[in-house]
Amino acid sequence: IDRNYAVLIARHLAKSQIYESVDRIISRLRIADSTEIDLIVGLLDALVELRVEVPGDLLNHFAEPSMPWQIRRTAAEIISRQSSAT
């Protein structure tokens, strides 16, 4: 995903229900640095909009106490949603 417009692109792909983008979004999340708060939150939101299950290892990583609160909060919301859906 393009670095400068990653969140905008991901949101557009999610809104258009382009499921082929899921693997690339997850791959980008796997290499994201904790300082990329907007990127991480935006990409997680795109996965939620696509209604796909976010991998547990990513959610656990983003829920760690060392992560910025915005990322932890987003991860916690997704964990809650995913656990209530099963």
Side-chain angles (χ1 to χ4, degrees), residues 16-55:
S16 299
Q17 300 294 292
I18 307 296
Y19 293 100
E20 294 82 4
S21 64
V22 170
D23 289 340
R24 296 206 53 195
I25 293 171
I26 290 172
S27 293
R28 182 60 181 94
L29 282 168
R30 290 197 184 282
I31 62 170
D33 182 86
S34 64
T35 61
E36 298 176 288
I37 298 167
D38 292 335
L39 175 72
I40 294 169
V41 171
L43 294 180
L44 288 171
D45 286 344
L47 292 175
V48 168
E49 184 159 342
L50 283 164
R51 293 186 173 93
V52 297
E53 187 160 327
V54 180

